[in-house]
Amino acid sequence: MLQQILHDMYIDPELLAELNEEQKQILFYKMREEQLRRWKEREEKARMEEAMLRKTARRKQSNGKHVQWLRGKDSEVWVWVMGEAPGDKPYEQISEELIAERARQQAQKEAEELWRQKEAEITKKFRDAMAQEKARIVAEKWKIEMEDRKAAKLEEKKIQEELKKREEEERQKGEEQIRQQEEIRAKELYLSLKQAQQHSQHSDDDQEWEEQLRRSKAADEERSHKARRARDEYRRQSLRAIQKGRVAGLSHLFQGTSLNNDQEIKLNNNSASPLLPLSVASSSIWERPSRPFSRDVIIRWFREEQIPRRAGFERNTNRIAQWFHGIISRQEAEELLMNKSEGTFLVRVSEKIWGYALSYRQQSGFRHFLVDASGDFYSFLGVDPNRHATLTDLIDFHKEEIITSSGGELLLEPCGQQKNPPDYSPLFE
């Protein structure tokens, strides 16, 4: 299952939700390692192709095709340096003109914005003054007799002309002020742009890229540290398990510890079950799909592949283990564990993968671990280097050894059935 995830570089969101945080971290770390491996492989392939192209180009050149340089009157290679030929402006002058133009455009833009604001202020000022004056005249002349109203209108017209004249004068004065500010601002912008051109080493884009790179490296280092710590803990568990003869070997995904021949012989002898597997009738040849897609296919998989391997049975007996449950959901598992003490656990048949889910009661909640049974061994998906020969071996092993270094989970008390018939009945019918 893990190899398939690394091959596709994709994990189904529903399957990802079944993993705990430590399993997710290590799985993402492994996917990152696979990405780097593929990237290096592509880079090496591109490098080899480029070398091959250069070699081919050299071979073609040796066949008579070559570059001939244009030569001048002095028989030397003709060279034209921009800015140094007759009629060309010096580079410094071109640079100065570009900076001056940028400063002028910026200052002009700022001046236009200032003038819009100034013009709005002037218009509002004289419109308000006109309205106030008109209101005053109306108030004063309202009660004057009819023959005097013509004089009032003349006076009003005179005042309006005076106000317009003052408005025009103030507009001209404002325009002059804006023009002077524009010239001053253009000089300031020119100096600042010139200074930035001389002293700037990195652009804002470069700084943002460096910050993103720093955060990415820090996140990679954190994931690497967590994965390394988990691997060290699992490797320690594996050594103890090998000494006890309780596991079938180590996954090749966690290199670094290997068995000698004597240990392998002892391991195989201890893993053998004294009971013969239960026989299961099969009406046709079983070809397992890549993933479970229905409850019926899960039941068939369990009957034809798991019962012969004695999954869910107590060691050396034909009794169903107390911790074993059927195809129940995560919510049902948490309801069974709700009022239990810390360390209580159960194993349920998974609907997401060919395997099981171990549900564990913590002091502050629940944890769920996927157990991969798609091969010929049992191990926690993505993080466990121990290959247990039977499901019972995995459970017994973690009664003495913690599951994760961060959680310190020990399987202390099995959670039994609360229904009659048991929820695993359809698996054995």
Side-chain angles (χ1 to χ4, degrees), residues 137 141 148-160:
I137 292 173
K141 302 297 182 179
D148 293 334
R149 292 194 178 181
K150 185 175 181 181
K153 287 186 178 181
L154 292 173
E155 183 179 358
E156 179 182 352
K157 185 176 180 181
K158 182 179 179 182
I159 292 173
Q160 286 180 350

Side-chain angles (χ1 to χ4, degrees), residues 195-301:
Q195 185 178 7
Q197 183 189 45
Q198 294 174 350
H199 297 93
S200 176
Q201 297 296 328
H202 300 285
S203 66
D204 293 341
D205 291 339
D206 292 338
Q207 294 177 358
E208 182 179 357
W209 180 84
E210 289 177 358
E211 177 63 19
Q212 291 178 352
L213 181 62
R214 185 191 65 78
R215 291 198 297 266
S216 177
K217 287 183 177 180
D220 285 345
E221 183 63 27
E222 177 65 18
R223 284 193 292 269
S224 176
H225 175 70
K226 290 182 179 180
R228 192 181 306 114
R229 184 176 59 190
R231 283 202 302 263
D232 292 342
E233 175 63 25
Y234 287 127
R235 190 172 289 115
R236 183 192 66 79
Q237 292 183 7
S238 302
L239 292 174
R240 291 195 59 186
I242 290 171
Q243 294 170 359
K244 296 178 181 180
R246 295 285 290 278
V247 295
L250 293 180
S251 169
H252 69 281
L253 297 171
F254 291 81
Q255 300 294 339
T257 305
S258 60
L259 303 178
N260 57 38
N261 292 334
D262 295 337
Q263 288 174 323
E264 288 182 352
I265 293 171
K266 178 181 177 182
L267 202 56
N268 292 330
N269 291 338
N270 290 340
S271 298
S273 174
L275 295 178
L276 294 175
L278 300 178
S279 61
V280 179
S282 177
S283 59
S284 61
I285 298 176
W286 166 246
E287 184 176 349
R288 187 176 66 197
S290 59
R291 281 196 60 186
F293 58 83
S294 69
R295 184 174 290 258
D296 291 339
V297 79
I298 296 173
I299 293 174
R300 181 173 182 181
W301 164 78

Side-chain angles (χ1 to χ4, degrees), residues 97-112 182-183 185-187 189-190 193:
E97 291 177 355
L98 288 174
I99 292 175
E101 179 63 19
R102 287 177 59 188
R104 187 192 64 77
Q105 291 177 357
Q106 180 65 23
Q108 184 178 6
K109 184 178 179 181
E110 294 181 4
E112 290 175 355
E182 180 181 352
E183 293 177 355
R185 182 58 176 162
K187 293 179 181 179
L189 289 171
Y190 172 79
L193 289 172

Side-chain angles (χ1 to χ4, degrees), residues 374-406:
S374 58
D376 57 354
F377 56 88
Y378 297 84
S379 65
F380 287 115
L381 178 62
V383 298
D384 193 353
N386 300 324
R387 291 182 169 185
H388 300 272
T390 68
L391 186 59
T392 303
D393 286 343
L394 182 145
I395 298 301
D396 290 346
F397 178 71
H398 286 291
K399 288 180 179 179
E400 301 176 4
E401 294 291 338
I402 60 175
I403 299 177
T404 65
S405 56
S406 60

